[in-house]
Amino acid sequence: MRKNIVAGNWKMNTTLQEGVQLAKEVNESLKSFKANCGVVIAVPFTHLASINDVIDKNLLGLGAENCANKVSGAFTGEVSAAMVASTGANYVILGHSERRQYYGETSETLKEKVALALENGLTPIFCIGEVLEEREANVHFDVVKRQVEEALFELSAEDFSKLVLAYEPVWAIGTGKTATDDQAEEMHAFIRNTIAKKYGKEIADNTTILYGGSCKPSNAAQLFAKPNVDGGLIGGASLKSESFIDIVKAF
Ligand code: 13P
């Protein structure tokens, strides 16, 4: 059966020293109890190698927040999937709405990033989600279906089964306005059904689908109790070890 995961997305926060300290704290806390889910932190590129050295990867997975859509070469400032993997990281967030919105990422480039991540043994945490106007116009299901189809549905069944998906309604990110557990469940069930139609029920049932958007200790348990919500992708609340661990304990 599919794995439950709580993943932190630190975004562009913490200096290297602060990040190493935070990772150590999370790692220490995870030694003190048995988590009922996988736990991952996705951190800035600059922090990956140092954090990899101070955490127990049996307790805590490590990921990047992005990678390039090119293999290598003259792409100043980019960081390749192979470089990410060479730090010891195992995950990479791809298609986050902030990347789509501020850096013009499209399904075309994301398709290339997903392929390169998989080739380098990284597990993509692939983000999808509608903006407020799309929900208000009642096209949120169409939007999310298109995001999944365009970037992911050319993958082989074997490759698709390596992905983690994250539904993050853009209107809920960093706004304090969480989707209700029923809204999350409704969309997660829809995504799973969309996957089942393409890849079959077994692969759909085995796909981990995380919820992201103002997930915090006070609402995590209610969200995670829904049958199709397999954990969370946590922004703000992952920047303090205590709140992040409280979310882990919601499982
Ligand atoms: P917040 O938890 O800060 O709303 O961010 C969610 C998110 O974007 C995680 O990727």
Side-chain angles (χ1 to χ4, degrees):
M1 228 6 213
R2 58 184 178 262
K3 196 175 172 187
N4 292 323
I5 298 174
V6 170
N9 173 11
W10 289 5
K11 309 193 180 184
M12 196 173 75
N13 291 297
T14 73
T15 62
L16 174 60
Q17 291 74 18
E18 290 163 350
V20 167
Q21 181 58 31
L22 176 56
K24 279 183 182 166
E25 283 171 23
V26 171
N27 190 70
E28 251 343 273
S29 301
L30 289 172
K31 286 185 193 161
S32 66
F33 70 103
K34 166 106 185 61
N36 289 322
C37 61
V39 186
V40 175
I41 48 174
V43 308
F45 292 131
T46 45
H47 300 19
L48 285 168
S50 303
I51 289 179
N52 188 62
D53 284 346
V54 298
I55 60 173
D56 177 351
K57 302 287 278 300
N58 295 313
L59 295 176
L60 181 57
L62 179 63
E65 302 172 13
N66 181 29
C67 72
N69 67 327
K70 302 280 193 252
V71 176
S72 66
F75 302 102
T76 301
E78 287 293 287
V79 176
S80 72
M83 292 172 187
V84 170
S86 73
T87 67
N90 321 96
Y91 293 85
V92 59
I93 295 176
L94 292 174
H96 193 280
S97 61
E98 288 149 18
R99 304 274 340 151
R100 294 177 190 259
Q101 194 179 344
Y102 306 136
Y103 300 95
E105 293 199 355
T106 63
S107 294
E108 267 323 291
T109 49
L110 289 171
K111 216 191 297 186
E112 296 166 346
K113 292 183 181 204
V114 168
L116 286 166
L118 290 170
E119 271 172 41
N120 285 282
L122 298 171
T123 299
I125 301 176
F126 191 83
C127 304
I128 49 189
E130 80 285 356
V131 299
L132 184 61
E133 300 81 73
E134 290 163 340
R135 180 161 281 262
E136 284 174 350
N138 205 29
V139 295
H140 45 299
F141 293 112
D142 301 334
V143 167
V144 168
K145 181 162 181 269
R146 194 170 354 105
Q147 289 172 338
V148 172
E149 282 175 350
E150 284 179 356
L152 305 177
F153 275 11
E154 283 173 30
L155 290 171
S156 67
E158 192 191 342
D159 277 345
F160 188 89
S161 62
K162 295 174 184 158
L163 304 177
V164 170
L165 265 51
Y167 169 59
E168 300 204 310
V170 180
W171 46 270
I173 296 177
T175 57
K177 193 173 175 220
T178 321
T180 65
D181 50 348
D182 286 335
Q183 283 173 324
E185 171 61 18
E186 184 185 34
M187 182 59 88
H188 283 225
F190 171 79
I191 294 166
R192 201 175 304 287
N193 192 34
T194 303
I195 298 168
K197 282 187 195 149
K198 168 75 181 170
Y199 290 105
K201 189 172 181 320
E202 192 181 339
I203 287 182
D205 282 345
N206 282 318
T207 303
T208 297
I209 308 177
L210 309 179
Y211 168 79
S214 299
C215 186
K216 44 192 179 241
S218 58
N219 58 26
Q222 208 175 344
L223 286 159
F224 300 170
K226 290 292 179 184
N228 283 291
V229 178
D230 310 316
L233 185 54
I234 319 299
S238 72
L239 292 171
K240 292 262 180 292
S241 63
E242 200 177 50
S243 50
F244 185 57
I245 293 294
D246 280 349
I247 295 173
V248 171
K249 286 180 174 169
F251 269 117

